[in-house]
Amino acid sequence: MDAPDGAAVGAVGAVGAERSDAARNRVLLLEAARRLVAERGAEHVTMEAVAKGAGVGKGTLFRRFGDRDGLLAALLDEAEAGFREVCTSGPPPLGPGAPAADRLTAFGWTLIDRIADGTDLGAALARQLRPRNRNASDTGRAFHRHVSVLLWEAGVDCDHDVLAHALLAFTAFETADYLVRERGVPADDLQATWADLVRMVTRPDSCQGGPAPGGS
C-alpha cells in the first residue's frame, strides 16, 4: 500500500535535511582541521581537537571520515589539487608539451624537493598517513596513474602499473626522509638518482612486455 503523499514528502524532506547537515558538518570539520594544522602542525592534530574546534561530536567526525587517516587524506587531496592540475594541464616540463621522460623527471624532482622542504603542507599531511592509506587516497592514486601513463607515453614496454609503484617507492617519505634526515644525503643527490632511474627505465631495451596503463 502506497504511503500518503504527505508522508512521502516528509520522508524526502528528512533525507534532504540530513544530507544538508552532513555537508555542513563536513565543511566545519575540514575548516577546523585546516586551522589546527596551521596552528599546531599536522603531526599534532587529534580527532578530539578537530571535533571540538568544529563544534560537533566525535561520533560525527568518525562517521564522516572513518579515522584520523581518513581526515588527513581529505585535507591532503585539497592541498594537492593545485599540484595535480599543474601536472596534468600546466606548463612543461611538469605539464603537457615536454617529452614524457622529461615530464617524469620533473615530477620526481618536484616531489623530492617538496619532501626535503619542511614547510610544504601537502608533504606534511602525506607524511602523517600510513603508507597503505596514503597510496589509497585520491592523491596517491592520481600520482600513480600519472607516472604509469608517462611510462607508457615514453614507450616503456613493460608492466607500467607495477613499475610506477616501484619508482614512486623511491619518493616515499619512508625512503626519502631516511636518506635525507638520517643518512644526510642531499636532496640534489636524490634528484640526480631519480633522473638516472628515469633514463634507465625509458631506454628502448629497458624491459619487455606489459599492458597499457589502467591500474590503481
Side-chain angles (χ1 to χ4, degrees), residues 57-115:
K58 286 177 63 177
T60 299
L61 175 56
F62 279 100
R63 283 194 299 273
R64 191 64 188 83
F65 295 102
D67 57 14
R68 183 174 181 271
D69 269 19
L71 174 62
L72 292 179
L75 291 176
L76 174 65
D77 292 338
E78 286 189 353
E80 293 289 16
F83 178 61
R84 289 163 59 180
E85 184 175 357
V86 169
C87 290
T88 56
S89 58
L94 271 175
D102 291 348
R103 293 183 65 194
L104 186 55
T105 299
F107 177 76
W109 279 354
T110 304
L111 286 185
I112 292 168
D113 193 46
R114 293 176 61 201
I115 291 171

Side-chain angles (χ1 to χ4, degrees), residues 41-59:
E43 66 275 21
H44 299 299
V45 172
T46 66
M47 297 292 271
E48 182 176 2
V50 171
K52 182 178 179 180
V56 303
K58 286 177 63 177

